[in-house]
Amino acid sequence: MRILSVVGARPQFVKLAPIARAMPADTEHLIAHTGQHYDHNMSDAFFTDLGIPHPDFNLGVGSGKHGEQTGAMLAGLEKIIEDTAPDWVLVYGDTNSTLAAAVAAVKLHVPIAHLEAGLRSFNRRMPEEHNRVLTDHAADLLLAPTRVAMDHLAAEGLAERSVLVGDVMTDVLYQVRDQVAGSPLRLDAAVEPGGYYVATLHRPDNTDDPERLRAIVDGIAKVGKPVVLLAHPRLRALAERHGIELNTGSISVSEPVGYPQLVNAVVHSAGVITDSGGLQKEAFLLRVPCTTLRPETEWVETVDLGWNVLVNKDFSTLPATVERPRPAETDAAPYGTGRAAETAVRALLDRG
Ligand code: UD1
């Protein structure tokens, strides 16, 4: 069997790592990288750190407006799918790379499997929400990470194509957590273990409106311990364009870090402030309190269990929310036990 994985953006490299490892030796696994993310620390570092095989194809599409970027990927992927004639095109998550691969494959009548199917924010302002809804409806096999995701798929009439496999990011996280366990804090910022917060911010709804971005930065700057802000290129570019200084108050701006270093930074932190989907869940799995700068989350279990609090409007409340006491401990495992990739690959091979 030949499986073509299509990835392009940072969280997809993380999801690809355990899938690539779980592929049996007699399965031909090809990897196409769209080039949506191209900076070393947004792309290559993940392949190296997580031991992912070098991509067989790289379209080098780079940045652009949604239509321009997605269209360039669609044209490039069509050719790759025609040339390689895979039994499955496997797409990951909810980025423009996911949607481009799904559209390219469905037009060529090649079966599509969608990993991380069924997540919904019900917020149609998010490009990720368009991408995931359209991809789920184009796909032949929906590999869902949670029961809640399975329920969303059933509500949209997709139950028959859906399989609950668990969350593959949990697989990687547990492996990397065990690798970095006991290692000292590895951050360039002058901070002490337990004496700082980790922050990331990249969603267009938070970065693109200068007033909102300024209010978020002001709120974070007043938090009572240093905040290491791992600044995504989108955030840096927009802050500069809006004339907003990120290095202010408690905030100490750093470059984005590789995955093992991120896990190390979160493990040693007092908490996380983010708008990233993956990081909310990683904080929960590492039992670090998280504050999420969004009106809603796809990972509702993190909120229900008390480890994640959403802040969307009054960012002057951020210090009090971020510095809240730790919630009650829990041994709930809504994201599986760290074996989701094996289950996902088995589902693909069984239906090939
Ligand atoms: C994309 C995904 C988002 C995911 C995120 C993870 C979409 C619609 N969004 O958002 O779901 O959570 O990746 O990071 O697919 N840039 C660089 N170098 C890079 C990558 C990006 O400079 O290596 C800059 C460019 O200025 C670019 C901007 O960041 O215009 C945004 O990049 P893009 O890939 O369009 O979206 P992300 O915000 O990264």
Side-chain angles (χ1 to χ4, degrees), residues 231-252:
H232 186 290
R234 164 192 283 284
L235 172 64
R236 276 185 196 270
L238 283 149
E240 200 177 301
R241 190 185 309 160
H242 304 325
I244 297 171
E245 176 55 71
L246 294 174
N247 247 320
T248 171
S250 305
I251 303 175
S252 157

Side-chain angles (χ1 to χ4, degrees), residues 337-351:
T337 53
R339 319 234 27 171
E342 286 164 38
T343 314
V345 168
R346 212 175 316 119
L348 273 172
L349 299 178
D350 287 351
R351 286 164 184 76

Side-chain angles (χ1 to χ4, degrees), residues 9-11 36-39 42 63 66 69 94-96 127-128 131 202-203 232-234:
R10 193 166 53 170
Q36 177 172 351
H37 286 176
Y38 42 89
D39 286 358
M42 299 287 287
S63 303
H66 288 292
Q69 185 184 55
D94 55 20
T95 74
N96 288 345
E128 294 81 5
N131 291 342
H202 76 279
R203 299 263 169 211
H232 186 290
R234 164 192 283 284

Side-chain angles (χ1 to χ4, degrees), residues 209-228:
D209 170 10
E211 234 174 89
R212 183 171 167 99
L213 180 57
R214 190 165 282 118
I216 292 174
V217 170
D218 286 350
I220 299 178
K222 295 197 177 75
V223 168
K225 289 187 175 93
V227 179
V228 180

Side-chain angles (χ1 to χ4, degrees), residues 260-283:
Q261 202 183 344
L262 174 80
V263 174
N264 170 280
V266 172
V267 164
H268 287 290
S269 75
V272 166
I273 308 166
T274 192
D275 61 4
S276 149
L279 190 49
Q280 292 168 47
K281 189 168 24 106
E282 285 151 357

Side-chain angles (χ1 to χ4, degrees), residues 77-158:
L77 289 168
E78 183 172 64
K79 178 154 185 2
I80 294 172
I81 296 169
E82 274 176 340
D83 289 351
T84 57
D87 298 293
W88 283 106
V89 170
L90 177 57
V91 302
Y92 301 71
D94 55 20
T95 74
N96 288 345
S97 299
T98 316
L99 179 63
V103 175
V106 77
K107 297 287 182 190
L108 294 169
H109 313 296
V110 174
I112 304 162
H114 183 203
L115 188 79
E116 211 177 71
L119 292 183
R120 296 289 181 268
S121 66
F122 301 101
N123 177 352
R124 296 294 287 244
R125 284 188 51 80
M126 291 176 66
E128 294 81 5
E129 185 74 355
H130 320 149
N131 291 342
R132 55 171 89 101
V133 170
L134 293 167
T135 300
D136 280 342
H137 284 260
D140 302 275
L141 176 61
L142 298 161
L143 303 166
T146 61
R147 293 206 167 279
V148 172
M150 288 292 281
D151 291 345
H152 292 324
L153 293 168
E156 293 175 27
L158 300 172

